[in-house]
mmCIF file of all heavy atoms in Angstrom:
data_model
loop_
_atom_site.group_PDB
_atom_site.id
_atom_site.type_symbol
_atom_site.label_atom_id
_atom_site.label_comp_id
_atom_site.label_asym_id
_atom_site.label_seq_id
_atom_site.Cartn_x
_atom_site.Cartn_y
_atom_site.Cartn_z
ATOM 1 N N MET A 1462 191.952 24.269 -48.946
ATOM 2 C CA MET A 1462 192.245 24.514 -47.550
ATOM 3 C C MET A 1462 192.584 23.171 -46.864
ATOM 4 O O MET A 1462 191.915 22.197 -47.133
ATOM 5 C CB MET A 1462 191.057 25.135 -46.827
ATOM 6 C CG MET A 1462 190.522 26.429 -47.398
ATOM 7 S SD MET A 1462 191.644 27.833 -47.144
ATOM 8 C CE MET A 1462 191.430 28.165 -45.387
ATOM 9 N N GLY A 1463 193.636 23.168 -46.035
ATOM 10 C CA GLY A 1463 193.915 22.081 -45.220
ATOM 11 C C GLY A 1463 193.051 22.031 -44.042
ATOM 12 O O GLY A 1463 193.113 22.971 -43.174
ATOM 13 N N THR A 1464 192.196 21.011 -43.742
ATOM 14 C CA THR A 1464 191.413 20.878 -42.585
ATOM 15 C C THR A 1464 192.361 20.700 -41.469
ATOM 16 O O THR A 1464 193.112 19.714 -41.421
ATOM 17 C CB THR A 1464 190.413 19.740 -42.628
ATOM 18 O OG1 THR A 1464 189.579 20.014 -43.748
ATOM 19 C CG2 THR A 1464 189.595 19.673 -41.386
ATOM 20 N N GLN A 1465 192.384 21.555 -40.436
ATOM 21 C CA GLN A 1465 193.288 21.415 -39.310
ATOM 22 C C GLN A 1465 192.641 20.522 -38.199
ATOM 23 O O GLN A 1465 193.362 19.811 -37.519
ATOM 24 C CB GLN A 1465 193.538 22.853 -38.678
ATOM 25 C CG GLN A 1465 194.365 23.712 -39.564
ATOM 26 C CD GLN A 1465 195.662 23.086 -40.074
ATOM 27 O OE1 GLN A 1465 195.777 22.898 -41.222
ATOM 28 N NE2 GLN A 1465 196.536 22.715 -39.178
ATOM 29 N N ASP A 1466 191.298 20.566 -38.093
ATOM 30 C CA ASP A 1466 190.688 19.816 -37.041
ATOM 31 C C ASP A 1466 189.121 19.931 -37.220
ATOM 32 O O ASP A 1466 188.636 20.878 -37.785
ATOM 33 C CB ASP A 1466 191.026 20.454 -35.646
ATOM 34 C CG ASP A 1466 190.575 19.623 -34.503
ATOM 35 O OD1 ASP A 1466 190.391 18.410 -34.665
ATOM 36 O OD2 ASP A 1466 190.375 20.230 -33.438
ATOM 37 N N PHE A 1467 188.406 18.989 -36.685
ATOM 38 C CA PHE A 1467 187.050 19.187 -36.475
ATOM 39 C C PHE A 1467 186.596 18.406 -35.218
ATOM 40 O O PHE A 1467 187.045 17.298 -35.049
ATOM 41 C CB PHE A 1467 186.187 18.724 -37.752
ATOM 42 C CG PHE A 1467 186.263 17.314 -38.113
ATOM 43 C CD1 PHE A 1467 185.456 16.367 -37.646
ATOM 44 C CD2 PHE A 1467 187.188 16.924 -39.126
ATOM 45 C CE1 PHE A 1467 185.461 15.113 -38.064
ATOM 46 C CE2 PHE A 1467 187.362 15.658 -39.525
ATOM 47 C CZ PHE A 1467 186.391 14.673 -39.076
ATOM 48 N N ASP A 1468 185.912 19.127 -34.440
ATOM 49 C CA ASP A 1468 185.381 18.523 -33.128
ATOM 50 C C ASP A 1468 184.407 17.384 -33.404
ATOM 51 O O ASP A 1468 184.384 16.427 -32.794
ATOM 52 C CB ASP A 1468 184.722 19.670 -32.215
ATOM 53 C CG ASP A 1468 185.666 20.797 -32.019
ATOM 54 O OD1 ASP A 1468 186.839 20.594 -31.888
ATOM 55 O OD2 ASP A 1468 185.208 21.910 -31.874
ATOM 56 N N GLU A 1469 183.628 17.632 -34.442
ATOM 57 C CA GLU A 1469 182.627 16.739 -34.988
ATOM 58 C C GLU A 1469 182.438 17.209 -36.326
ATOM 59 O O GLU A 1469 182.843 18.387 -36.749
ATOM 60 C CB GLU A 1469 181.412 16.776 -34.133
ATOM 61 C CG GLU A 1469 180.763 18.213 -34.050
ATOM 62 C CD GLU A 1469 179.595 18.242 -33.195
ATOM 63 O OE1 GLU A 1469 179.721 18.487 -31.979
ATOM 64 O OE2 GLU A 1469 178.490 18.156 -33.750
ATOM 65 N N PRO A 1470 181.736 16.580 -37.226
ATOM 66 C CA PRO A 1470 181.577 17.126 -38.635
ATOM 67 C C PRO A 1470 180.873 18.494 -38.626
ATOM 68 O O PRO A 1470 181.073 19.209 -39.621
ATOM 69 C CB PRO A 1470 180.717 16.022 -39.291
ATOM 70 C CG PRO A 1470 181.044 14.779 -38.630
ATOM 71 C CD PRO A 1470 181.308 15.197 -37.181
ATOM 72 N N GLY A 1471 180.155 18.819 -37.660
ATOM 73 C CA GLY A 1471 179.463 20.065 -37.619
ATOM 74 C C GLY A 1471 180.311 21.321 -37.257
ATOM 75 O O GLY A 1471 179.968 22.471 -37.474
ATOM 76 N N THR A 1472 181.542 21.015 -36.803
ATOM 77 C CA THR A 1472 182.450 22.178 -36.436
ATOM 78 C C THR A 1472 183.848 21.962 -37.013
ATOM 79 O O THR A 1472 184.542 21.000 -36.557
ATOM 80 C CB THR A 1472 182.553 22.473 -34.939
ATOM 81 O OG1 THR A 1472 181.227 22.609 -34.393
ATOM 82 C CG2 THR A 1472 183.416 23.682 -34.624
ATOM 83 N N THR A 1473 184.213 22.704 -38.018
ATOM 84 C CA THR A 1473 185.498 22.465 -38.744
ATOM 85 C C THR A 1473 186.370 23.665 -38.538
ATOM 86 O O THR A 1473 185.850 24.792 -38.642
ATOM 87 C CB THR A 1473 185.242 22.084 -40.214
ATOM 88 O OG1 THR A 1473 184.229 21.033 -40.295
ATOM 89 C CG2 THR A 1473 186.425 21.762 -40.952
ATOM 90 N N TRP A 1474 187.672 23.490 -38.489
ATOM 91 C CA TRP A 1474 188.653 24.605 -38.344
ATOM 92 C C TRP A 1474 189.619 24.637 -39.539
ATOM 93 O O TRP A 1474 190.229 23.571 -39.859
ATOM 94 C CB TRP A 1474 189.388 24.469 -37.022
ATOM 95 C CG TRP A 1474 188.585 24.432 -35.871
ATOM 96 C CD1 TRP A 1474 187.891 23.358 -35.188
ATOM 97 C CD2 TRP A 1474 188.193 25.574 -35.035
ATOM 98 N NE1 TRP A 1474 187.249 23.816 -34.181
ATOM 99 C CE2 TRP A 1474 187.343 25.156 -33.942
ATOM 100 C CE3 TRP A 1474 188.475 26.967 -35.101
ATOM 101 C CZ2 TRP A 1474 186.908 26.044 -33.053
ATOM 102 C CZ3 TRP A 1474 187.974 27.829 -34.174
ATOM 103 C CH2 TRP A 1474 187.209 27.411 -33.174
ATOM 104 N N PHE A 1475 189.860 25.842 -39.986
ATOM 105 C CA PHE A 1475 190.973 26.094 -40.947
ATOM 106 C C PHE A 1475 191.812 27.257 -40.434
ATOM 107 O O PHE A 1475 191.291 28.159 -39.717
ATOM 108 C CB PHE A 1475 190.308 26.548 -42.337
ATOM 109 C CG PHE A 1475 189.550 25.464 -42.929
ATOM 110 C CD1 PHE A 1475 188.131 25.515 -42.882
ATOM 111 C CD2 PHE A 1475 190.163 24.396 -43.621
ATOM 112 C CE1 PHE A 1475 187.364 24.538 -43.471
ATOM 113 C CE2 PHE A 1475 189.303 23.419 -44.167
ATOM 114 C CZ PHE A 1475 187.985 23.519 -44.154
ATOM 115 N N LEU A 1476 193.013 27.385 -40.878
ATOM 116 C CA LEU A 1476 193.887 28.472 -40.648
ATOM 117 C C LEU A 1476 194.016 29.324 -41.803
ATOM 118 O O LEU A 1476 194.046 28.861 -42.946
ATOM 119 C CB LEU A 1476 195.315 28.022 -40.272
ATOM 120 C CG LEU A 1476 195.471 27.029 -39.055
ATOM 121 C CD1 LEU A 1476 196.983 26.617 -38.966
ATOM 122 C CD2 LEU A 1476 194.927 27.535 -37.826
ATOM 123 N N THR A 1477 194.025 30.688 -41.579
ATOM 124 C CA THR A 1477 194.089 31.581 -42.791
ATOM 125 C C THR A 1477 194.672 32.921 -42.272
ATOM 126 O O THR A 1477 194.882 33.103 -41.166
ATOM 127 C CB THR A 1477 192.742 31.724 -43.492
ATOM 128 O OG1 THR A 1477 192.976 32.381 -44.719
ATOM 129 C CG2 THR A 1477 191.759 32.461 -42.647
ATOM 130 N N GLU A 1478 194.867 33.819 -43.253
ATOM 131 C CA GLU A 1478 195.361 35.201 -42.904
ATOM 132 C C GLU A 1478 194.173 36.114 -42.860
ATOM 133 O O GLU A 1478 193.337 36.171 -43.764
ATOM 134 C CB GLU A 1478 196.299 35.708 -43.861
ATOM 135 C CG GLU A 1478 197.690 34.870 -43.939
ATOM 136 C CD GLU A 1478 197.756 33.872 -44.935
ATOM 137 O OE1 GLU A 1478 196.747 33.655 -45.608
ATOM 138 O OE2 GLU A 1478 198.751 33.184 -45.046
ATOM 139 N N ARG A 1479 194.162 36.970 -41.795
ATOM 140 C CA ARG A 1479 193.035 38.000 -41.681
ATOM 141 C C ARG A 1479 193.060 38.928 -42.910
ATOM 142 O O ARG A 1479 192.032 39.329 -43.320
ATOM 143 C CB ARG A 1479 193.186 38.740 -40.434
ATOM 144 C CG ARG A 1479 192.207 39.918 -40.356
ATOM 145 C CD ARG A 1479 192.123 40.599 -39.005
ATOM 146 N NE ARG A 1479 191.328 39.861 -38.131
ATOM 147 C CZ ARG A 1479 190.013 39.699 -38.161
ATOM 148 N NH1 ARG A 1479 189.385 40.092 -39.218
ATOM 149 N NH2 ARG A 1479 189.412 39.035 -37.279
ATOM 150 N N SER A 1480 194.197 39.224 -43.437
ATOM 151 C CA SER A 1480 194.293 40.205 -44.596
ATOM 152 C C SER A 1480 193.882 39.596 -45.913
ATOM 153 O O SER A 1480 193.907 40.260 -46.925
ATOM 154 C CB SER A 1480 195.754 40.687 -44.709
ATOM 155 O OG SER A 1480 196.627 39.526 -44.914
ATOM 156 N N SER A 1481 193.429 38.353 -45.995
ATOM 157 C CA SER A 1481 193.040 37.677 -47.283
ATOM 158 C C SER A 1481 191.672 38.134 -47.696
ATOM 159 O O SER A 1481 190.855 38.535 -46.898
ATOM 160 C CB SER A 1481 193.054 36.141 -47.072
ATOM 161 O OG SER A 1481 191.990 35.752 -46.286
ATOM 162 N N ASP A 1482 191.557 38.103 -49.032
ATOM 163 C CA ASP A 1482 190.245 38.441 -49.601
ATOM 164 C C ASP A 1482 189.068 37.546 -49.074
ATOM 165 O O ASP A 1482 187.993 37.993 -48.898
ATOM 166 C CB ASP A 1482 190.307 38.287 -51.153
ATOM 167 C CG ASP A 1482 191.210 39.345 -51.777
ATOM 168 O OD1 ASP A 1482 191.443 40.428 -51.081
ATOM 169 O OD2 ASP A 1482 191.593 39.213 -52.939
ATOM 170 N N LYS A 1483 189.480 36.272 -48.833
ATOM 171 C CA LYS A 1483 188.393 35.388 -48.407
ATOM 172 C C LYS A 1483 187.876 35.724 -47.016
ATOM 173 O O LYS A 1483 186.636 35.642 -46.774
ATOM 174 C CB LYS A 1483 188.835 33.856 -48.378
ATOM 175 C CG LYS A 1483 189.699 33.366 -47.317
ATOM 176 C CD LYS A 1483 189.953 31.918 -47.432
ATOM 177 C CE LYS A 1483 191.320 31.521 -47.010
ATOM 178 N NZ LYS A 1483 192.433 32.035 -47.870
ATOM 179 N N VAL A 1484 188.724 36.274 -46.140
ATOM 180 C CA VAL A 1484 188.212 36.630 -44.784
ATOM 181 C C VAL A 1484 187.290 37.928 -44.976
ATOM 182 O O VAL A 1484 186.194 37.878 -44.310
ATOM 183 C CB VAL A 1484 189.384 36.993 -43.821
ATOM 184 C CG1 VAL A 1484 188.886 37.732 -42.589
ATOM 185 C CG2 VAL A 1484 190.029 35.697 -43.496
ATOM 186 N N ALA A 1485 187.603 38.819 -45.728
ATOM 187 C CA ALA A 1485 186.800 40.012 -46.007
ATOM 188 C C ALA A 1485 185.393 39.550 -46.642
ATOM 189 O O ALA A 1485 184.384 40.024 -46.143
ATOM 190 C CB ALA A 1485 187.479 40.951 -46.957
ATOM 191 N N ALA A 1486 185.447 38.637 -47.533
ATOM 192 C CA ALA A 1486 184.248 38.156 -48.117
ATOM 193 C C ALA A 1486 183.380 37.353 -47.194
ATOM 194 O O ALA A 1486 182.178 37.503 -47.000
ATOM 195 C CB ALA A 1486 184.609 37.287 -49.281
ATOM 196 N N ILE A 1487 183.991 36.466 -46.317
ATOM 197 C CA ILE A 1487 183.266 35.724 -45.354
ATOM 198 C C ILE A 1487 182.627 36.544 -44.291
ATOM 199 O O ILE A 1487 181.516 36.310 -43.811
ATOM 200 C CB ILE A 1487 184.184 34.529 -44.801
ATOM 201 C CG1 ILE A 1487 184.383 33.495 -45.897
ATOM 202 C CG2 ILE A 1487 183.588 33.938 -43.517
ATOM 203 C CD1 ILE A 1487 185.394 32.449 -45.602
ATOM 204 N N GLU A 1488 183.366 37.654 -43.888
ATOM 205 C CA GLU A 1488 182.778 38.529 -42.958
ATOM 206 C C GLU A 1488 181.585 39.222 -43.443
ATOM 207 O O GLU A 1488 180.638 39.532 -42.727
ATOM 208 C CB GLU A 1488 183.822 39.510 -42.371
ATOM 209 C CG GLU A 1488 184.906 38.822 -41.517
ATOM 210 C CD GLU A 1488 185.965 39.750 -40.965
ATOM 211 O OE1 GLU A 1488 186.363 40.695 -41.648
ATOM 212 O OE2 GLU A 1488 186.338 39.491 -39.778
ATOM 213 N N ALA A 1489 181.584 39.547 -44.714
ATOM 214 C CA ALA A 1489 180.435 40.131 -45.420
ATOM 215 C C ALA A 1489 179.294 39.132 -45.627
ATOM 216 O O ALA A 1489 178.047 39.589 -45.486
ATOM 217 C CB ALA A 1489 180.872 40.743 -46.752
ATOM 218 N N ASP A 1490 179.613 37.878 -45.903
ATOM 219 C CA ASP A 1490 178.550 36.895 -46.222
ATOM 220 C C ASP A 1490 179.182 35.559 -45.652
ATOM 221 O O ASP A 1490 179.973 34.940 -46.341
ATOM 222 C CB ASP A 1490 178.217 36.855 -47.676
ATOM 223 C CG ASP A 1490 177.171 35.801 -47.988
ATOM 224 O OD1 ASP A 1490 176.737 35.001 -47.107
ATOM 225 O OD2 ASP A 1490 176.681 35.769 -49.155
ATOM 226 N N PRO A 1491 178.755 35.207 -44.495
ATOM 227 C CA PRO A 1491 179.349 33.998 -43.902
ATOM 228 C C PRO A 1491 178.893 32.635 -44.408
ATOM 229 O O PRO A 1491 179.377 31.557 -43.983
ATOM 230 C CB PRO A 1491 178.891 34.093 -42.384
ATOM 231 C CG PRO A 1491 177.651 34.855 -42.404
ATOM 232 C CD PRO A 1491 177.754 35.864 -43.606
ATOM 233 N N ARG A 1492 177.984 32.580 -45.378
ATOM 234 C CA ARG A 1492 177.532 31.324 -45.934
ATOM 235 C C ARG A 1492 178.615 30.671 -46.694
ATOM 236 O O ARG A 1492 179.203 31.272 -47.606
ATOM 237 C CB ARG A 1492 176.362 31.549 -46.867
ATOM 238 C CG ARG A 1492 175.123 32.023 -46.045
ATOM 239 C CD ARG A 1492 173.968 32.352 -47.006
ATOM 240 N NE ARG A 1492 174.415 33.388 -47.901
ATOM 241 C CZ ARG A 1492 173.788 33.636 -49.081
ATOM 242 N NH1 ARG A 1492 172.760 32.952 -49.445
ATOM 243 N NH2 ARG A 1492 174.256 34.612 -49.848
ATOM 244 N N VAL A 1493 178.968 29.414 -46.400
ATOM 245 C CA VAL A 1493 180.013 28.730 -47.095
ATOM 246 C C VAL A 1493 179.680 27.199 -47.410
ATOM 247 O O VAL A 1493 178.682 26.730 -46.824
ATOM 248 C CB VAL A 1493 181.421 28.655 -46.262
ATOM 249 C CG1 VAL A 1493 181.959 30.076 -46.031
ATOM 250 C CG2 VAL A 1493 181.143 27.967 -44.959
ATOM 251 N N ASN A 1494 180.425 26.580 -48.256
ATOM 252 C CA ASN A 1494 180.337 25.186 -48.501
ATOM 253 C C ASN A 1494 181.816 24.686 -48.449
ATOM 254 O O ASN A 1494 182.631 25.272 -48.956
ATOM 255 C CB ASN A 1494 179.716 24.863 -49.837
ATOM 256 C CG ASN A 1494 179.559 23.475 -50.076
ATOM 257 O OD1 ASN A 1494 180.405 22.764 -50.542
ATOM 258 N ND2 ASN A 1494 178.381 22.886 -49.668
ATOM 259 N N VAL A 1495 181.955 23.486 -47.894
ATOM 260 C CA VAL A 1495 183.297 22.895 -47.735
ATOM 261 C C VAL A 1495 183.068 21.444 -48.372
ATOM 262 O O VAL A 1495 182.190 20.685 -47.914
ATOM 263 C CB VAL A 1495 183.873 22.811 -46.408
ATOM 264 C CG1 VAL A 1495 185.285 22.239 -46.422
ATOM 265 C CG2 VAL A 1495 183.840 24.146 -45.728
ATOM 266 N N SER A 1496 183.873 21.114 -49.409
ATOM 267 C CA SER A 1496 183.756 19.757 -50.020
ATOM 268 C C SER A 1496 184.968 19.005 -49.679
ATOM 269 O O SER A 1496 186.110 19.457 -49.574
ATOM 270 C CB SER A 1496 183.451 19.808 -51.494
ATOM 271 O OG SER A 1496 184.534 20.482 -52.102
ATOM 272 N N TYR A 1497 184.770 17.692 -49.391
ATOM 273 C CA TYR A 1497 185.730 16.731 -49.147
ATOM 274 C C TYR A 1497 185.690 15.538 -50.089
ATOM 275 O O TYR A 1497 184.563 15.099 -50.321
ATOM 276 C CB TYR A 1497 185.557 16.269 -47.712
ATOM 277 C CG TYR A 1497 185.701 17.231 -46.649
ATOM 278 C CD1 TYR A 1497 184.666 18.094 -46.287
ATOM 279 C CD2 TYR A 1497 186.899 17.441 -45.905
ATOM 280 C CE1 TYR A 1497 184.779 19.063 -45.314
ATOM 281 C CE2 TYR A 1497 187.015 18.365 -44.978
ATOM 282 C CZ TYR A 1497 185.929 19.228 -44.641
ATOM 283 O OH TYR A 1497 186.038 20.149 -43.699
ATOM 284 N N SER A 1498 186.754 15.012 -50.534
ATOM 285 C CA SER A 1498 186.803 13.856 -51.388
ATOM 286 C C SER A 1498 187.992 12.981 -51.003
ATOM 287 O O SER A 1498 189.107 13.445 -51.041
ATOM 288 C CB SER A 1498 186.875 14.335 -52.860
ATOM 289 O OG SER A 1498 186.918 13.196 -53.745
#
């Protein structure tokens, strides 16, 4: 995912499509991990 913005490291924003499998999965279980290198 391309990080679009973060207000601070604690709030990060990404763009995606509502119809994607990831949105359905995240709405069911919102726990995520995002890695940066």
Side-chain angles (χ1 to χ4, degrees):
M1462 301 287 286
T1464 302
Q1465 294 306 118
D1466 188 26
F1467 62 91
D1468 301 326
E1469 56 183 87
T1472 305
T1473 307
W1474 298 90
F1475 297 102
L1476 304 177
T1477 193
E1478 293 96 356
R1479 171 169 283 295
S1480 59
S1481 67
D1482 290 342
K1483 81 175 141 297
V1484 167
I1487 287 170
E1488 288 181 325
D1490 182 350
R1492 296 174 299 161
V1493 297
N1494 183 273
V1495 185
S1496 60
Y1497 297 82
S1498 179

